[in-house]
Amino acid sequence: MTQRHEQVDIELGDRSYPILIGPGLLSDPSLLRSHVTARDVLVVTNETIASLYLPKLTTALDGKRVVSLALPDGEEFKTLDSYARILDALMDARMNRDAAVVALGGGVVGDMAGFAAASYQRGIDYVQVPTTLLAQVDSSVGGKTAVNHPKGKNMIGAFYQPRCVIADTSTLATLPDREYRAGIAEVVKYGLIYDPAFFDWLEANVEALLSRADAALIHAIRRSCEIKAEVVGVDEREQGLRAILNLGHTFGHAIETAMGYGNWLHGEAVAAGMVMAADMSSALGWLAAADRDRTVKLLTRFGLPTQSPRIGAAEGRQLMGMDKKVLDRKLRLVLLRRLGQADIVSDYPNEVLEATLKQHFG
Amino acid sequence: MTQRHEQVDIELGDRSYPILIGPGLLSDPSLLRSHVTARDVLVVTNETIASLYLPKLTTALDGKRVVSLALPDGEEFKTLDSYARILDALMDARMNRDAAVVALGGGVVGDMAGFAAASYQRGIDYVQVPTTLLAQVDSSVGGKTAVNHPKGKNMIGAFYQPRCVIADTSTLATLPDREYRAGIAEVVKYGLIYDPAFFDWLEANVEALLSRADAALIHAIRRSCEIKAEVVGVDEREQGLRAILNLGHTFGHAIETAMGYGNWLHGEAVAAGMVMAADMSSALGWLAAADRDRTVKLLTRFGLPTQSPRIGAAEGRQLMGMDKKVLDRKLRLVLLRRLGQADIVSDYPNEVLEATLKQHFG
């Protein structure tokens, strides 16, 4: 039985791959057969997702040799040790260069499994089955894989493209509400930085998205992946334009760090950070005040925070300055020229940044 | 003071890089300044090489911020743990994306440091300063980096090109005789698989090479790098032609493993393995008996072993079958169609292989 689904083709020459988006995909044997060509497969997942979806995926992969590895769930396990466990599992199962790693889970699982696939025998096939909204709209495009170093996030990794991404919208039904909404923050981001019409569509579809209706989800995920692909496509290795994907992330990084990782979800910090970027963009006379207000209202309707905790302007500034995206100590910020158009800016008046920090961080 | 040196340009589009070959290069500040553009440098080396060449290199890098890490010497330390130590050193020194990793040492140092450079922040500059003949003629071209897994060599790594290779022939003066001769085995290999004129030149320059004369070394290294580049250039990710670089390696792998790693040097096992490949090629009626004899004679003049230890044909066959280069259980061998022309063969009569194994492995 083949489900209704949509497809986004990521064009990268001989590393091109499709993103398949729709309900029930991970339990569809014929779809998996046509997109996972390896006969030997290691499924990497986490303990939470394993109990929900691993049996379904394994059944749908019937006919292949499938080995699975469930790692503990959480960003704190995105380490070189977990990466080594994936490599051990590949070795123990005597997987060769024709094997594939399938990542079943959120961004943490995908990042680790992707780096393991990139480096096992210098690269074997990698298939993503993202089960969180954040992973479906973010990790599906861009080829970033990594693990954390104790002294910095995502410091160890590779650029490595999957053979295929299977974004099964049915898996979002079991996503905790807070995590789901955090994923929406990134969807809103795509409208803000690149596509005012998509922003309009989001405003008109808040209820459908909050009820996780398939049609709305498929459109939101597809458009998010398309936008990310357009932005990344011209800039695969993150020199220029790609940085606009970090809207709200530099401010948000300070919030995440100050509050301790995990207390604010990434998407929540990004939401509050995007409001800071919108405020600063308005103060510079770029973003219309009405569009700044629409941004706050939309995030609020999605149940996302629009006000940073009072971490203190000095503390916040310092945490932003330690962000690894800083080039030569000069703080480049992603700001909005207008709704739907972001820019990377470093020639802003410092007092405007200071006022924004003061207003939000206190 | 700029030394006389030669240069081989490896053409790989935007990943092209030069190999500089000559005496005294690593202590030449102006040469280093023009080829190592990063301001922040981590030099990765081993304890043996550190005492011989690290001060010279550090002095020549004057003006840059140079941090160094000396790892224990030996293949048994080519592990994920050592790799993690390199990443720790990069983090501890707060190296950013503009930094470079310089590998000062043999293949082990280069493989580990290269993989660390490939994966630190998803890739920073990598400069090789190979100090063994083997590393100068083998690791300089091909972009292979890796560490070992407890269950298999080079199982974890990346294809990653250096910015520049600085092959300082003066460093070969301190190389132990046995290790130097093992490096020559790979030089002979390039003649055998690809270039009969180079084989002739080697026959005529045995004494000059054994005395490690600069002019002979420069020619031998340059021609070896050129040949490897031609072979690899049309086949960067090891599907077809590149496999001819493994002449003698499948037989040699069995010898190395049976004797315990380190008891036979890699180049020694390759030398004995090349004789086996030459014998089998002669038995098939491809390689002329006279050219088989010239091969044995040349290796002998270089003080290299031409007879495998008696590890037993059954044992040898099994060890060859476990080689990760085997595709679908079918044993592909690199054999010689004639002197200077290798081919990848899997349709040989099995009894010819068996006779070769019996004759050499006993």
Side-chain angles (χ1 to χ4, degrees):
Chain A
M1 157 199 65
T2 299
Q3 311 278 352
R4 187 181 68 83
H5 67 266
E6 296 195 12
Q7 178 166 339
V8 177
D9 290 308
I10 306 298
E11 304 291 353
L12 288 164
D14 61 356
R15 290 170 298 128
S16 298
Y17 65 92
I19 302 172
L20 312 172
I21 308 160
L25 301 189
L26 78 75
S27 35
D28 182 338
S30 70
L31 180 134
L32 287 171
R33 243 194 314 275
S34 58
H35 286 97
V36 184
T37 50
R39 276 186 332 185
D40 295 344
V41 171
L42 174 71
V43 179
V44 178
T45 186
N46 68 44
E47 287 157 358
T48 311
I49 294 296
S51 62
L52 293 168
Y53 299 111
L54 184 56
K56 279 184 187 170
L57 179 62
T58 305
T59 303
L61 288 168
D62 188 39
K64 298 178 185 293
R65 182 166 74 101
V66 179
V67 179
S68 68
L69 173 68
L71 295 165
D73 191 4
E75 178 83 22
E76 67 270 35
F77 298 105
K78 194 172 130 179
T79 59
L80 270 183
D81 278 346
S82 296
Y83 162 75
R85 284 189 58 190
I86 302 173
L87 298 168
D88 289 345
L90 287 162
M91 289 297 297
D92 289 346
R94 297 177 155 272
M95 295 284 177
N96 68 21
R97 287 180 183 167
D98 303 326
V101 171
V102 174
L104 172 70
V108 169
V109 161
D111 282 1
M112 292 192 298
F115 182 40
S119 48
Y120 185 67
Q121 299 201 25
R122 302 193 188 92
I124 62 174
D125 277 5
Y126 168 46
V127 173
Q128 281 180 290
V129 186
T131 60
T132 67
L133 182 57
L134 177 59
Q136 291 179 354
V137 300
D138 184 35
S139 318
S140 298
V141 182
K144 285 188 175 183
T145 71
V147 296
N148 298 332
H149 186 274
K151 293 186 178 175
K153 288 182 71 172
N154 294 323
M155 281 292 169
I156 308 159
F159 284 96
Y160 199 67
Q161 304 296 339
R163 287 284 164 200
C164 165
V165 177
I166 296 165
D168 183 339
T169 51
S170 303
T171 61
L172 303 182
T174 51
L175 202 60
D177 196 51
R178 198 177 152 197
E179 215 180 313
Y180 177 75
R181 284 185 279 107
I184 299 250
E186 299 278 348
V187 176
V188 172
K189 181 193 76 179
Y190 291 113
L192 279 172
I193 61 171
Y194 202 77
D195 186 350
F198 184 49
F199 191 91
D200 296 345
W201 181 89
L202 287 169
E203 289 181 319
N205 287 274
V206 170
E207 284 71 27
L209 283 169
L210 285 177
S211 68
R212 311 189 193 187
D214 278 325
L217 278 172
I218 291 174
H219 180 77
I221 296 164
R222 182 171 61 75
R223 192 64 199 126
S224 295
C225 289
E226 284 170 354
I227 292 171
K228 183 160 183 187
E230 283 180 45
V231 170
V232 170
V234 292
D235 180 33
E236 207 183 334
R237 290 209 171 225
E238 191 164 3
Q239 302 302 316
L241 183 63
R242 183 171 183 153
I244 68 169
L245 297 168
N246 291 325
L247 178 73
H249 282 60
T250 305
F251 294 114
H253 176 78
I255 298 171
E256 273 186 281
T257 309
M259 301 305 286
Y261 282 112
N263 293 314
W264 273 55
L265 296 182
H266 179 69
E268 293 170 339
V270 166
M274 289 194 298
V275 173
M276 292 179 72
D279 272 351
M280 188 168 160
S281 305
S282 281
L284 290 165
W286 298 342
L287 183 70
D291 288 335
R292 178 263 173 213
D293 293 346
R294 284 172 70 193
T295 303
V296 172
K297 188 171 172 200
L298 182 60
L299 293 169
T300 304
R301 289 176 70 198
F302 281 124
L304 286 160
T306 56
Q307 170 59 55
S308 161
R310 309 296 276 182
I311 64 175
E315 165 93 353
R317 188 181 229 299
Q318 201 220 321
L319 291 171
M320 289 167 66
M322 289 181 61
D323 190 306
K324 74 173 191 291
K325 292 168 191 86
V326 176
L327 204 66
D328 282 330
R329 320 277 163 245
K330 197 171 184 188
L331 196 58
R332 298 157 79 226
L333 288 173
V334 183
L335 298 173
L336 295 168
R337 291 287 178 190
R338 62 184 64 83
L339 188 80
Q341 191 193 331
D343 204 353
I344 303 125
V345 186
S346 53
D347 61 348
Y348 50 80
N350 203 47
E351 57 268 27
V352 181
L353 171 61
E354 288 302 329
T356 306
L357 297 181
K358 196 92 194 126
Q359 179 194 342
H360 287 262
F361 289 159
Chain B
M1 159 198 64
T2 298
Q3 311 279 352
R4 188 182 66 86
H5 67 266
E6 296 196 11
Q7 178 166 338
V8 177
D9 290 309
I10 306 298
E11 304 291 353
L12 289 164
D14 61 356
R15 291 169 298 129
S16 297
Y17 66 92
I19 302 172
L20 312 172
I21 308 159
L25 302 188
L26 77 76
S27 35
D28 182 340
S30 71
L31 180 134
L32 287 172
R33 244 194 313 276
S34 58
H35 286 97
V36 183
T37 51
R39 276 186 333 184
D40 296 343
V41 172
L42 174 71
V43 179
V44 178
T45 187
N46 68 44
E47 288 157 357
T48 311
I49 294 297
S51 63
L52 292 167
Y53 300 111
L54 184 56
K56 278 184 185 168
L57 179 62
T58 305
T59 302
L61 288 168
D62 188 40
K64 298 179 186 292
R65 180 165 76 99
V66 179
V67 180
S68 68
L69 172 67
L71 294 165
D73 192 3
E75 178 83 24
E76 67 270 34
F77 297 105
K78 194 173 130 179
T79 60
L80 271 183
D81 278 347
S82 296
Y83 163 74
R85 284 188 60 190
I86 302 173
L87 297 169
D88 289 345
L90 286 162
M91 289 297 296
D92 290 347
R94 297 178 154 274
M95 294 284 176
N96 68 21
R97 288 180 183 168
D98 304 326
V101 171
V102 175
L104 173 70
V108 170
V109 161
D111 281 1
M112 291 193 297
F115 182 40
S119 49
Y120 184 68
Q121 299 200 25
R122 301 195 188 90
I124 63 174
D125 277 5
Y126 168 46
V127 172
Q128 282 181 290
V129 186
T131 59
T132 67
L133 182 56
L134 176 59
Q136 290 178 354
V137 300
D138 183 36
S139 320
S140 299
V141 182
K144 285 189 175 183
T145 71
V147 297
N148 298 332
H149 186 274
K151 294 187 178 172
K153 288 182 71 172
N154 295 322
M155 280 292 168
I156 308 160
F159 284 96
Y160 198 67
Q161 304 296 339
R163 287 285 163 200
C164 164
V165 177
I166 296 165
D168 183 338
T169 52
S170 301
T171 61
L172 302 183
T174 51
L175 202 60
D177 196 50
R178 199 176 150 197
E179 215 179 314
Y180 177 76
R181 285 185 279 105
I184 299 249
E186 298 278 348
V187 176
V188 171
K189 182 193 76 178
Y190 290 114
L192 279 172
I193 61 171
Y194 202 77
D195 185 350
F198 184 48
F199 190 91
D200 295 345
W201 181 89
L202 288 169
E203 288 181 319
N205 287 274
V206 170
E207 285 70 29
L209 283 169
L210 285 177
S211 67
R212 310 188 192 186
D214 278 324
L217 278 172
I218 290 174
H219 180 77
I221 296 164
R222 182 170 62 73
R223 191 65 199 123
S224 295
C225 290
E226 284 170 354
I227 292 172
K228 183 161 184 187
E230 283 180 45
V231 171
V232 170
V234 293
D235 179 34
E236 206 182 334
R237 289 207 172 227
E238 193 165 1
Q239 302 302 315
L241 183 63
R242 183 171 182 153
I244 68 170
L245 296 168
N246 291 326
L247 179 73
H249 282 60
T250 304
F251 295 113
H253 176 78
I255 298 171
E256 273 186 281
T257 310
M259 302 305 287
Y261 282 112
N263 293 316
W264 273 55
L265 296 182
H266 177 71
E268 294 170 338
V270 166
M274 290 193 297
V275 174
M276 292 179 71
D279 272 350
M280 187 169 160
S281 304
S282 281
L284 289 165
W286 299 342
L287 183 70
D291 288 335
R292 178 264 174 214
D293 293 345
R294 283 172 69 192
T295 303
V296 172
K297 187 170 174 201
L298 182 60
L299 293 169
T300 305
R301 289 176 69 198
F302 281 125
L304 285 160
T306 57
Q307 170 59 54
S308 162
R310 309 297 275 182
I311 63 174
E315 164 94 355
R317 186 180 232 297
Q318 202 220 322
L319 291 171
M320 288 168 68
M322 289 181 63
D323 190 304
K324 75 173 191 293
K325 293 170 191 85
V326 176
L327 204 67
D328 283 329
R329 321 276 163 246
K330 196 171 185 189
L331 197 59
R332 297 157 80 227
L333 288 172
V334 183
L335 298 174
L336 294 168
R337 292 286 177 190
R338 62 184 65 81
L339 189 81
Q341 190 193 334
D343 203 353
I344 303 126
V345 186
S346 52
D347 62 350
Y348 49 81
N350 202 48
E351 57 268 28
V352 181
L353 172 60
E354 288 302 328
T356 306
L357 296 182
K358 195 91 195 124
Q359 179 193 342
H360 287 262
F361 289 159

